Amino acid sequence: MTHDVVNQAPPRADLNEYLTHPALTEAVGRYGAGWATDHLTGVGALVGRGDFQRDAELANTHPPVFSSHDRWGHRVDAVDFHPGYHRIIGAAIENGAHTSCWAEPRPGAHVARAATFMLFAQIEPGHACPVSMTHAVVPSLRFTPELAGEWLPRVYSRDYDPELRAGKTSAIFGMAMTEKQGGSDVRANSTRAVDAGDGTWRLTGHKWFCSAPQSDAFLVLAQAPGGLSCFLVPRVLPGGDRNVFRIQRLKDKLGNRSNASSEIELDGTVGWLLGEEGRGVRTIIEMVAQTRLDCVLGSAAGMRQSVSEAAWHARHRSAFGAVLIDQPAMTSVIADLQLEAEAATWTAMRLASAYDSDDAESVAFRRLATAVGKYWVCKRGPNHAYEALECLGGNGYTEAFPLARRYREQPVMAVWEGSGNVIALDVLRAMAREPESVGAVDRELASALGVHPAYDAHVAATRKLVAEVAADPSSAAASARRVVEALALGLQGAVLIREAPAEIADAFVAARLGEDRSLEYGALAPGLPLAKIAARA
């Protein structure tokens, strides 16, 4: 033996990921979900376990495998997963990370469900895709009561059954919108739907990105005689026969390895019209709004994993005569990473709370704020993951540690459900068509005025930008990103000033809105309580 292993951090395992996450626990209490504390504590203990983390690793190092045919030549279009993946998604479903807020509505239900979702997504993000889509499908299903009556009980179920068969009492949902030629421009879709005359339709065409093709059913956009429409397409028909759902291949992705994403072909595939013919975008946009919220939740969860792993390493490793976390340069980096993670967490939970009420103010606020939050929080995720990875040095760059996986994962949240320009233009659309949403967000910003001069100045500048865009819609697109960034930073500042501990709010305003503002992690102005902030990581 040539040496003893010393000065290496022990595994960050067997911690309660809820109780050690101060921003999340504080936000859960603030936004009316304190009743879920025992449940969330249990989930925090589960996802923190070493065996759960091992399953997360295995689900990603052994990604799903597609088989078009079985050994006898029958077309099966099967996607097989490592057992670790099934254990993780099964636990997420069992604990209501998908539809608990719909199945058991009460004040704070969306907040509690959001926190549950974040805890699972923090450790293994790939499974969160079908969990999110199953959650998000509920408002769209309600457009057609007959289909809702059939499918909602299955969507609400806490049983996870990966087998594709008729008669199941549970269901996982996916969606298939984009096509090769259109991408986000779904009105350019070419998939066609023909009325079969028996209450069903026949769909023929392709989808370039179909997430979680192993799911029980999908919402699919197709061109009907009355225009672009939304259809519910099951993998297995009521009589037990397989629907025509040909998986062409699985996408070989940068990250998100445990989640299967695919290209599919439909050829006379049976579907049921959901919502009104010709109103497909209106029907599926309800699902998109919910999944955009989950993008924010997922990015915030990823930031929590990143900074907690970085801080853990820094607390257990010494260099140049001192523990890393106590060295000023590292303290500043960890504190800054924690500020970003806290701002993302508080913003995510504030958005989730807006879905707990359907009053006019909440509806208007979430219409604009969800898109704004999705743009900014998701866009900040990749660089945050990189900086956290760097804190581990060479260890962080290896696949033996989770931050390499997280670094590859974070960009998907910024791409999924609308990449940067798509979201920024959607914000402009909301501002023009739904001015009440601008008023609701402005009232949110105004609620924190009078505490920090730098924040007040930022709000004044943001209001000026919004007014300029409203006055000249023809040139607004060129300023879209500036407007969204300003709104996002203002929204984060408002939430933190009102709700977060003073040291977090003060430092965020100084770091992101003040004269010494910097988007380079670790370049914080002197005088901030860096050790106190870093201690929350």
Side-chain angles (χ1 to χ4, degrees):
M1 181 175 179
T2 61
H3 68 284
D4 295 324
V5 177
V6 297
N7 200 29
Q8 287 278 357
R12 187 180 178 278
D14 300 319
L15 301 174
N16 191 301
E17 295 291 356
Y18 180 65
L19 297 180
T20 57
H21 191 343
L24 186 60
T25 57
E26 290 161 2
V28 164
R30 168 61 185 87
Y31 292 122
W35 51 265
T37 297
D38 289 345
H39 166 74
L40 293 169
T41 300
V43 172
L46 169 63
V47 302
R49 284 182 354 207
D51 61 331
F52 191 93
Q53 295 182 17
R54 176 60 174 160
D55 275 342
E57 181 181 2
L58 290 170
N60 283 272
T61 55
H62 300 278
V65 176
F66 166 57
S67 299
S68 60
H69 296 75
D70 67 14
R71 68 181 73 177
W72 298 282
H74 303 115
R75 182 98 196 198
V76 291
D77 293 292
V79 183
D80 294 316
F81 293 80
H82 188 277
Y85 174 90
H86 290 303
R87 287 191 289 268
I88 285 175
I89 191 172
I93 298 298
E94 180 183 358
N95 282 278
H98 60 328
T99 56
S100 58
C101 56
W102 307 116
E104 302 167 13
R106 60 182 291 185
H110 280 265
V111 171
R113 179 262 161 188
T116 304
F117 178 85
M118 288 176 67
L119 288 168
F120 280 98
Q122 176 182 327
I123 306 303
E124 204 300 295
H127 83 285
C129 173
V131 170
S132 173
M133 291 188 294
T134 304
H135 159 76
V137 77
V138 172
S140 294
L141 284 174
R142 289 173 173 168
F143 275 97
T144 302
E146 296 82 2
L147 292 175
E150 176 185 353
W151 287 94
L152 285 182
R154 297 166 66 180
V155 167
Y156 291 162
S157 172
R158 300 224 183 168
D159 295 326
Y160 172 64
D161 181 355
E163 184 181 352
L164 290 174
R165 58 182 175 81
K168 287 176 61 173
T169 58
S170 62
I172 300 297
F173 263 79
M175 71 163 76
M177 292 196 297
T178 59
E179 299 183 3
K180 298 180 181 72
Q181 72 282 355
S184 296
D185 183 8
V186 294
R187 295 193 183 278
N189 283 6
S190 61
T191 298
R192 298 288 168 181
V194 177
D195 191 342
D198 60 358
T200 67
W201 295 66
R202 299 294 183 269
L203 279 61
T204 301
H206 78 281
K207 296 296 173 182
W208 188 230
F209 276 93
C210 174
S211 295
Q214 77 279 6
S215 300
D216 297 289
F218 301 82
L219 296 197
V220 178
L221 290 180
Q223 300 285 358
L228 190 65
S229 305
C230 183
F231 297 88
L232 190 156
V233 174
R235 285 291 309 269
V236 179
L237 297 172
D241 291 336
R242 288 290 182 96
N243 206 355
V244 180
F245 192 94
R246 296 184 183 133
I247 301 173
Q248 302 300 94
R249 61 175 174 172
L250 299 186
K251 298 288 193 179
D252 187 6
K253 296 171 292 184
L254 168 69
N256 198 238
R257 306 292 291 183
S258 70
N259 178 46
S261 302
S262 65
E263 300 165 24
I264 65 167
E265 297 287 344
L266 308 173
D267 187 5
T269 302
V270 179
W272 280 259
L273 180 65
L274 187 62
E276 299 176 44
E277 185 180 348
R279 302 294 299 276
V281 172
R282 176 178 178 268
T283 302
I284 209 167
I285 203 67
E286 298 292 330
M287 188 176 189
V288 171
Q290 296 289 337
T291 49
R292 283 181 176 176
L293 170 63
D294 282 0
C295 287
V296 181
L297 300 175
S299 289
M303 289 183 185
R304 173 60 186 173
Q305 182 185 44
S306 296
V307 69
S308 61
E309 291 286 345
W312 179 265
H313 176 85
R315 291 187 181 110
H316 291 88
R317 187 170 177 87
S318 298
F320 310 110
V323 177
L324 284 178
I325 194 69
D326 295 330
Q327 300 194 35
M330 182 61 79
T331 307
S332 181
V333 170
I334 297 295
D336 208 352
L337 290 170
Q338 180 65 14
L339 278 182
E340 191 80 53
E342 294 229 6
T345 298
W346 276 103
T347 301
M349 298 307 281
R350 171 66 184 97
L351 291 173
S353 74
Y355 288 83
D356 267 319
S357 177
D358 287 327
D359 62 275
E361 183 74 3
S362 297
V363 172
F365 172 77
R366 70 198 191 206
R367 168 62 184 97
L368 185 61
T370 301
V372 167
K374 196 274 185 192
Y375 173 92
W376 184 247
V377 173
C378 297
K379 195 163 287 294
R380 296 289 289 166
N383 199 52
H384 184 275
Y386 156 69
E387 194 68 48
L389 178 157
E390 189 177 301
C391 291
L392 275 66
N395 283 352
Y397 198 65
T398 69
E399 296 295 341
F401 291 79
L403 291 192
R405 184 165 71 241
R406 177 57 65 179
Y407 179 55
R408 292 195 309 274
E409 184 72 29
Q410 288 291 63
V412 74
M413 297 298 174
V415 172
W416 195 32
E417 301 305 354
S419 51
N421 283 346
V422 172
I423 298 295
L425 294 174
D426 183 57
V427 168
L428 294 184
R429 189 178 304 111
M431 292 170 64
R433 298 180 181 178
E434 302 172 68
E436 65 275 11
S437 68
V438 180
V441 170
D442 187 74
R443 284 186 287 276
E444 185 85 5
L445 302 183
S447 68
L449 290 173
V451 180
H452 287 279
Y455 173 79
D456 296 354
H458 177 81
V459 171
T462 301
R463 286 171 166 170
K464 182 180 179 182
L465 273 175
V466 170
E468 290 172 352
V469 166
D472 187 11
S474 62
S475 61
S479 304
R481 289 192 175 216
R482 289 183 61 216
V483 173
V484 178
E485 177 179 332
L487 286 168
L489 287 168
L491 179 61
Q492 290 189 320
V495 174
L496 292 176
I497 290 169
R498 286 200 322 269
E499 314 296 358
E503 65 268 17
I504 299 297
D506 295 348
F508 180 85
V509 172
R512 302 292 186 264
L513 305 178
E515 292 182 3
D516 295 322
R517 63 177 290 186
S518 173
L519 297 181
E520 176 68 27
Y521 290 113
L524 295 174
L528 296 174
L530 302 183
K532 192 173 183 180
I533 297 169
R536 290 169 62 90

